[in-house]
Structures are given as C-alpha cells and as structure tokens.
Amino acid sequence: MAWAMVSVVLGFVGLAVLFYAAFRVFVSTRGLGREVERTRRRLEPRQRELQRRVDGWKARTGDR
C-alpha cells in the first residue's frame, strides 16, 4: 500500500515539474516575442529607406 501512495506522489511531483517547465517556456516565449517586435519596430524605418533606395536605383537603371 505504501508503494502505491509513493507512486501517486511521485507522479504528481513529475507533473508539477512538467508544469513548471511549461510555464517557464511560456514566459520565455512571450519575452522573445516582445524582443522580436521591438527589433522589428527599430528596423522598419531602415528597411523602408533601403527599399526606397533600391526602387530609385531600379528606376534609374531600367531594371524591373
């Protein structure tokens, strides 16, 4: 009987560890998403400027 209770307790402990790891992954994913969004906002003006220059170069050289 004691082995059965130990098995159940260890099962719950194992699930708790998995839930904790999943929570940490969730929090890290949110942080990574915020960082990617911040980087995208920082690069957007430079990307527009580069696209404008490429379009101007294509218009001057006749490339399409």
Side-chain angles (χ1 to χ4, degrees), residues 12-24:
F12 280 118
V13 169
L15 285 176
V17 168
L18 288 176
F19 285 136
Y20 176 73
F23 177 74
R24 293 208 36 178

Side-chain angles (χ1 to χ4, degrees), residues 22-36:
F23 177 74
R24 293 208 36 178
V25 167
F26 174 73
V27 169
S28 296
T29 303
R30 286 182 53 195
L32 180 62
R34 283 193 299 268
E35 188 174 336
V36 168

Side-chain angles (χ1 to χ4, degrees), residues 2-52:
W3 286 105
M5 289 190 294
V6 169
S7 302
V8 170
V9 168
L10 288 177
F12 280 118
V13 169
L15 285 176
V17 168
L18 288 176
F19 285 136
Y20 176 73
F23 177 74
R24 293 208 36 178
V25 167
F26 174 73
V27 169
S28 296
T29 303
R30 286 182 53 195
L32 180 62
R34 283 193 299 268
E35 188 174 336
V36 168
E37 178 63 24
R38 181 179 59 90
T39 302
R40 186 194 61 78
R41 279 188 271 117
R42 287 180 60 200
L43 290 176
E44 190 174 354
R46 293 181 181 134
Q47 187 268 340
R48 276 189 264 124
E49 174 65 23
L50 179 62
Q51 187 63 45
R52 187 185 63 77

